[in-house]
Amino acid sequence: MRLRNALSSLIILVAISFLCTGVKCEDPYRFFTWKITYGDVHPLGVKQQGILINGQFPGPLIEAVTNDNLIISVYNYLTEPFLISWNGLQQRRNSWQDGVYGTNCPIPPGKNFTYVLQVKDQIGSFFYFPSLGMQKAAGGFGSIIIRSRPRIPVPFPPPSGDFSILVGDWFKTDHHELKRILDNGHDLPFPHGLLINGRGWNAVTFTVDQGKTYRFRISNVGLKTSINFRIQGHKMKLVEVEGSHTLQNTFSSLDIHLGQSYSVLVTTNQPAKDYYIAVSTRFTRRMLTTTSILHYSNSCNSVSGPVPPGPTLDIASSLYQARTIRWNLTASGPRPNPQGSYHYGFIKPTRTIMLANSAPFINGKQRYAVNSVSYVAPDTPLKLADYYNIPGVFSVGSIPTKPTRSKAYLQTSVMGANFHEYVEIVFQNWENSVQSWHVDGYSFFVVGFGTGQWTPASRGYYNLRDTVSRCTTQVYPRSWTAVYMALDNVGMWNIRSENWARQYLGQQFYLRVYTPSKSWRDEYPIPKNALLCGRARGRHARLF
């Protein structure tokens, strides 16, 4: 009896120990409550109706550590539906939280929704933004920083400060009017100006101490144009691109295309005075420029002299710069090992997907297309239709995997793919403008850039050793960009142009990464608080 009691006590102690260990090892939670409202903003000196988060324009910074759980309660006080998406957060096994209309019902006016997401196995610099209509043109965007866990080495000393910079083009026109312009079959006009952290010319100051090193995280949150970023009299050491530590090359200016994020170190080793931080449009015949101020704390002199000029239409220098951005293979990522658990260049892709953008007129109106298909949103989010087996919402295979010479047409385009495939995606651009492509739910390896038409022989020019892994890539005019991507994240994922007018008018589609398994190991079930709309209205989310 005593032996049995002793064994029972031991079992209970082991069980309690196991449970306590489990609680202790659970990743931390960070809670946010956001109130989405309209408010007056004056970024270019003209009063406009902006979209504010907790009264802020831009919205509040999200700071997290690898694997943190983020609980973000969003209350919509607008008079229109609202959704937030998280540019670059991979939503591992959880496309339910992606925040685009293909996966989520919008938050109705006067209602709220709580996002429950984890920054699983990620580090780096990203941003969030409103994903419905043209709401991005009114604000509602903000920076996301995911820091490494304390014991994971970072390949540079801790900087003396960390600044987030949101740059992008801006229209004085109300976002509802911009939407009407697009709905009437026209492209957007040229932007009215550029903003740095929601402000115009010299309206933002970054204060630094002389002789120290600072980190600047720069994201292009604009709608239409690539930008060039530079700091008067200072060099920038590139250290991170969208979650990948890079070789630490030094630049005097950086091209940052739509939707992209970069992290640089700047050493304040110049005479004590104020300097311009300059941003200008890239590849536009009419150049827009704006500035902010790098202020040395011991400075007695304000900025002076001309704003440092930036490059304009030259493609070759931008292409050269893109090819120099390489992965730091000796640095740790979010885990205590060199970045990645496999080498992308040693794996043969299972298939090639080629995506060609175009700008057709359909039914007399300007549209944009991928492989001749211009996306139209259905009445029910694709993810819900897939989960509830609702017929007639979409059809897998409704977009070809290669360009066609067929006439462009409207379609709710969904491409099928299998879990654990390893694919080569070629973005082919026959237009005269720079394209910027983003893939939700993933990072991919940018293996090659080239001019003209991609062919299988182009693979001979791929970088299969140390190309960077990221979630957004540019495609130069009449050129191609090739990426490798491991389909290791089940779900319904948006692949889109980051030029927001092109995205709105059809240059996007969804990739359905499928497995017949119903295991939580592969994909989380529908959230208990999921909003249900369209043909999913009246159905039930899970109860436990």
Side-chain angles (χ1 to χ4, degrees):
M1 177 67 75
R2 290 180 180 176
L3 178 60
R4 190 165 60 216
N5 289 340
L7 286 173
S8 297
S9 299
L10 179 60
I11 291 170
I12 292 171
L13 286 172
V14 170
I16 291 173
S17 174
F18 176 79
L19 289 172
C20 290
T21 301
V23 171
K24 184 180 293 185
C25 291
E26 189 175 10
D27 295 306
Y29 283 76
R30 297 177 186 263
F31 295 87
F32 304 84
T33 299
W34 286 358
K35 295 181 179 180
I36 313 300
T37 61
Y38 298 119
D40 291 340
V41 296
H42 308 76
L44 294 177
V46 175
K47 185 172 78 170
Q48 297 175 248
Q49 183 189 72
I51 293 178
L52 313 182
I53 302 179
N54 293 348
Q56 299 179 42
F57 171 77
L61 170 68
I62 292 178
E63 292 188 86
V65 175
T66 300
N67 290 351
D68 280 357
N69 296 283
L70 307 182
I71 313 299
I72 306 173
S73 296
V74 178
Y75 291 81
N76 180 14
Y77 291 98
L78 308 180
T79 58
E80 56 190 309
F82 185 76
L83 266 181
I84 289 184
S85 191
W86 321 91
N87 215 70
L89 299 196
Q90 293 177 14
Q91 312 290 0
R92 304 298 300 177
R93 300 181 289 165
N94 201 14
S95 64
W96 298 106
Q97 306 294 333
D98 201 29
V100 290
Y101 184 68
T103 56
N104 295 92
C105 294
I107 307 169
K111 302 296 183 180
N112 76 288
F113 177 74
T114 299
Y115 291 89
V116 180
L117 52 94
Q118 186 180 30
V119 291
K120 180 68 174 173
D121 288 340
Q122 285 192 264
I123 59 167
S125 310
F126 308 97
F127 64 93
Y128 59 86
F129 67 97
S131 62
L132 287 184
M134 294 301 293
Q135 290 175 346
K136 189 179 181 185
F141 45 73
S143 295
I144 302 172
I145 295 175
I146 308 175
R147 303 188 190 279
S148 296
R149 287 174 286 182
R151 295 186 180 181
I152 306 300
V154 175
F156 48 86
S160 298
D162 196 325
F163 299 109
S164 290
I165 300 182
L166 299 170
V167 298
D169 49 35
W170 188 259
F171 293 85
K172 296 178 183 178
T173 310
D174 181 84
H175 74 281
H176 296 103
E177 179 59 29
L178 294 178
K179 181 176 178 294
R180 279 192 287 271
I181 290 172
L182 297 175
D183 289 340
N184 288 332
H186 305 290
D187 193 7
L188 294 182
F190 193 68
H192 293 106
L194 297 177
L195 302 185
I196 299 176
N197 286 357
R199 302 293 185 270
W201 200 274
N202 285 353
V204 180
T205 297
F206 301 92
T207 300
V208 295
D209 294 331
Q210 191 175 28
K212 296 184 178 180
T213 297
Y214 295 84
R215 183 171 184 170
F216 289 81
R217 304 172 187 259
I218 312 128
S219 297
N220 184 345
V221 297
L223 301 174
K224 195 175 177 73
T225 57
S226 301
I227 62 100
N228 181 267
F229 181 91
R230 52 208 180 270
I231 302 178
Q232 182 184 25
H234 294 74
K235 298 293 186 181
M236 298 179 291
K237 183 183 290 184
L238 184 66
V239 293
E240 178 252 332
V241 173
E242 294 162 17
S244 292
H245 289 131
T246 63
L247 293 183
Q248 296 179 14
N249 296 326
T250 299
F251 298 94
S252 57
S253 70
L254 271 175
D255 285 346
I256 305 175
H257 304 276
L258 287 165
Q260 293 184 341
S261 297
Y262 286 77
S263 225
V264 299
L265 296 180
V266 177
T267 300
T268 52
N269 53 8
Q270 298 301 304
K273 63 175 188 175
D274 291 359
Y275 297 87
Y276 286 114
I277 297 175
V279 175
S280 59
T281 54
R282 194 72 161 91
F283 319 119
T284 58
R285 294 194 176 278
R286 175 187 166 197
M287 181 186 286
L288 297 174
T289 300
T290 195
T291 60
S292 56
I293 305 298
L294 183 73
H295 169 68
Y296 278 43
S297 59
N298 58 339
S299 167
C300 296
N301 300 314
S302 58
V303 289
S304 60
V307 175
T312 55
L313 298 174
D314 173 48
I315 296 288
S317 62
S318 184
L319 178 59
Y320 174 78
Q321 184 178 91
R323 287 173 170 159
T324 66
I325 297 174
R326 304 293 184 90
W327 214 8
N328 186 338
L329 297 179
T330 63
S332 291
R335 295 171 298 279
N337 62 291
Q339 297 194 47
S341 56
Y342 62 90
H343 194 285
Y344 71 93
F346 294 160
I347 304 173
K348 184 177 181 180
T350 53
R351 64 168 168 152
T352 297
I353 299 169
M354 182 176 287
L355 305 174
N357 50 274
S358 59
F361 277 77
I362 302 177
N363 299 327
K365 292 186 176 183
Q366 177 70 70
R367 297 288 299 186
Y368 297 97
V370 186
N371 290 355
S372 300
V373 185
S374 185
Y375 181 85
V376 289
D379 60 4
T380 305
L382 305 173
K383 185 65 180 170
L384 290 178
D386 201 22
Y387 179 79
Y388 290 115
N389 295 313
I390 301 173
V393 176
F394 73 92
S395 176
V396 176
S398 47
I399 178 172
T401 58
K402 288 182 170 52
T404 67
R405 295 184 180 275
S406 64
K407 185 178 179 180
Y409 58 95
L410 303 173
Q411 181 66 264
T412 301
S413 37
V414 177
M415 186 179 294
N418 293 320
F419 188 36
H420 291 319
E421 277 191 278
Y422 189 71
V423 298
E424 174 186 48
I425 300 177
V426 179
F427 297 101
Q428 180 70 58
N429 178 20
W430 280 113
E431 297 184 70
N432 290 321
S433 57
V434 175
Q435 304 293 312
S436 188
W437 285 92
H438 175 85
V439 180
D440 277 355
Y442 286 93
S443 286
F444 46 71
F445 298 96
V446 186
V447 294
F449 300 93
T451 58
Q453 173 68 50
W454 181 93
T455 68
S458 304
R459 296 186 180 115
Y461 299 95
Y462 284 4
N463 175 3
L464 298 181
R465 181 179 181 274
D466 62 351
T467 193
V468 73
S469 173
R470 62 188 312 170
C471 59
T472 310
T473 189
Q474 71 272 26
V475 191
Y476 292 100
R478 298 194 172 274
S479 299
W480 55 265
T481 297
V483 308
Y484 282 179
M485 190 165 75
L487 301 184
D488 58 359
N489 199 11
V490 174
M492 188 76 72
W493 301 108
N494 189 226
I495 298 181
R496 63 174 176 267
S497 171
E498 287 285 11
N499 180 312
W500 215 243
R502 297 184 76 105
Q503 177 274 153
Y504 179 78
L505 292 179
Q507 192 174 315
Q508 61 169 309
F509 68 96
Y510 282 81
L511 184 70
R512 179 182 183 251
V513 180
Y514 175 75
T515 176
S517 166
K518 302 300 181 183
S519 171
W520 287 26
R521 175 197 62 197
D522 297 328
E523 184 179 24
Y524 294 144
I526 186 171
K528 290 183 286 186
N529 68 331
L531 299 175
L532 302 180
C533 57
R535 292 184 234 179
R537 195 184 306 275
R539 298 178 185 252
H540 298 285
R542 66 187 178 96
L543 299 177
F544 55 87

